[in-house]
Structure formats: C-alpha cells, structure tokens
Amino acid sequence: MNMLDAEFVKGFMRTAEDGWLQGWHERNGGNLSYRVKPEEVESVREELSPGEWRPIGAAVPRLAGEYFLVTGSGKYFRNVTIKPEDSFCLIELDGEGENYRICWGLVNGGRPTSELPTHLMNHEVKLAAAGGKHRVIYHAHPANIIALTFALPPTSEAFTRELWEMATECPVVFPDGIGVVPWMVPGGREIAVATSELMKEYDVAVWAHHGLFCSGEDFDLTFGLMHTVEKSAEILVKLRSMQPYKRQTIRPDDFRDLAKDFKVELPERYLYEKND
Ligand code: 13P
Ligand code: ZN
C-alpha cells in the first residue's frame, strides 16, 4: 500500500493539520510521534528503504525493534499535509533501542525531531504504565497554557486544580492531573528523563515557558486531551483578564460528587481548601 493511503499515516497528517489550524505550531514549533502497529508496518513494507543507523541520544531498550512515525526537526506542521515526504518520517529502532534508521520520508534530508529522546522515553514509560495501549505522543506550543506558566505556581497541584475548575469536563478527561516540568533546556536527554518520570503518573506534562506534552491511545484521544487542557487554560486566562478572583467556582465537594457519578477517581491531594 502507498504510505499516504495508509489509515495510520492519514491520522498522523490530520492531527498535524488540526494542530496547525488551532494556532499551536508557529514555525517548526511542536512535534508528533506514533508507535506503529506491526500489521501497519507490514501493510507499507514495500514502501520502506532503510538508511543508516544513527544514535537516538537516549536508550529505550523496551522499544527495541519498534517503528515510529515522527515529525522532522525544523519541519513545519503547516507543511505536513502539503509536502508529507519532506516533513515527517517512519523510523525503525535497533535491537538495543539505542539507534534509529529512517525507512521512509524526510526525502530532502534532515532528522527526526530534536525532542526524539522525550518522545521515545515517554513511549517507553507508557508501554509499561498504560498496558501498552498508548501509541501517540504529541508536543505543541498552545499560547494559553504557556501564559499560565508565568502566573501559576509551577506545581501539579496548582495546574490540575485551576484547570479542573475552569471546565466541568476536565476532571473526567484528565482525572490523574497534570505534571509540570520547570524550565529546562529542550531537545536533550535531561528534559526527556524529567518528562518521562512525570508520564509514569500523568498523561499531560507542561513544560514551563515552552509548551505541553500529551500521551494517548490514538490520535483523537491525544489531540482531544491537548485541546481540552488548552481550552481550559484559555478560560482561566480570560477570567484573570476580567478580574483577579472567581465570584463562584466548582468546590472540592462538587468534584467529589462528580467523581461518583462519572466513576472517576480524583486524588484528594487536588481537592484542598482554598479561598478562590
Ligand atoms: P523540532 O523542530 O526539532 O521538532 O523542535 C520543535 C520544538 O518544539 C522543540 O521543543
Ligand atoms: Zn517545543
């Protein structure tokens, strides 16, 4: 089958396009990866021509031999549907999970995203933590969540509780809360270790003054998670632009009632007493 006709590739391209349309991907901002199923790899096998092995920059032994679709470093989400062969690639990992090779795409040269260590370390954590169901890791630069990293304490407690309060669906969509990585230099192993540590507990990790990482089972769920978090952040930014306080809000006991009806577990550490 032609790569661009495969459903998993179409889903990848649509997600990138949707992110672009949301305004989350200025220039080359953001990156996307998908852990490809074995039968999907087989369906496009004749399209693949493996190149040279190159170091990942991190060791991910549990992902040995896996294939990933991943956006290219310096490539624009704007162009993913316009020139797909130039904008992303399919990579294969070696038997140690230390090297990758490009099997399709990036026809004009280049390499996978500079955040490949974070993507792969997150995939590795999710393979263990989420029963192997998660396949998508998505990084974007949504303006409202980034704005909040200058205004809220950089803690999981503050981000989770404030965003839960801004839209009733939030505790149901991300009941485990949100992790926060303090500002760090992007693109390396150190930020990958910090992020993947948080991904053991959360499906969402904020990068202070930079953006957001989301993990999910498929493109819809992962995009929907990013969208829900950012929309909630937008409501909080709007509220704070009107007035510094909330006249009324959702209270801890309201969350407890919601948890019962929607059959989610909301950790008590987010349901602390506060004045607004
Ligand atoms: P890449 O172009 O290397 O994917 O980098 C974009 C980005 O958002 C880095 O955090
Ligand atoms: Zn980024």
Side-chain angles (χ1 to χ4, degrees), residues 3-203:
M3 262 308 259
L4 301 181
D5 292 333
E7 282 305 318
F8 72 101
V9 181
K10 286 195 219 167
F12 184 92
M13 293 195 292
R14 198 191 80 191
T15 304
E17 179 74 2
D18 287 350
W20 158 252
L21 291 173
Q22 289 294 330
W24 298 339
H25 299 286
E26 76 293 339
R27 206 173 180 279
N28 64 311
N31 23 77
L32 176 65
S33 66
Y34 171 70
R35 186 166 57 85
V36 186
K37 296 174 184 167
E39 63 271 25
E40 291 169 333
V41 177
E42 287 320 311
S43 73
V44 296
R45 178 70 72 187
E46 71 237 28
E47 298 273 294
L48 309 185
S49 48
E52 297 291 306
W53 291 108
R54 297 182 208 168
I56 293 167
V60 284
R62 277 197 220 95
L63 300 178
E66 295 267 1
Y67 288 77
F68 294 86
L69 271 185
V70 56
T71 48
S73 186
K75 301 295 182 181
Y76 291 26
F77 270 52
R78 173 77 182 103
N79 292 332
V80 164
T81 53
I82 298 169
K83 25 181 191 170
E85 296 91 344
D86 174 66
S87 302
F88 63 94
C89 57
L90 182 82
I91 60 169
E92 177 191 3
L93 305 197
D94 69 3
E96 279 72 49
E98 288 178 10
N99 299 285
Y100 71 87
R101 59 181 177 181
I102 296 174
C103 300
W104 181 92
L106 290 180
V107 290
N108 297 310
R111 58 186 179 86
T113 172
S114 57
E115 308 296 0
L116 189 63
T118 297
H119 279 260
L120 294 181
M121 289 186 79
N122 286 348
H123 278 293
E124 191 175 47
V125 159
K126 288 301 180 188
L127 191 59
K133 284 190 180 158
H134 281 212
R135 293 194 171 269
V136 182
I137 300 290
Y138 181 24
H139 170 55
H141 293 175
N144 292 289
I145 195 83
I146 297 170
L148 290 180
T149 67
F150 298 90
L152 295 180
T155 64
S156 172
E157 284 77 8
F159 270 80
T160 301
R161 176 63 178 278
E162 289 302 324
L163 294 182
W164 277 4
E165 280 186 48
M166 288 302 110
T168 299
E169 65 178 322
C170 284
V172 180
V173 176
F174 49 98
D176 298 329
I178 293 181
V180 181
V181 179
W183 188 87
M184 292 176 78
V185 176
R189 193 178 168 277
E190 208 180 321
I191 198 165
V193 171
T195 310
S196 61
E197 201 51 44
L198 291 175
M199 282 292 182
K200 289 178 184 166
E201 186 171 353
Y202 311 104
D203 293 337

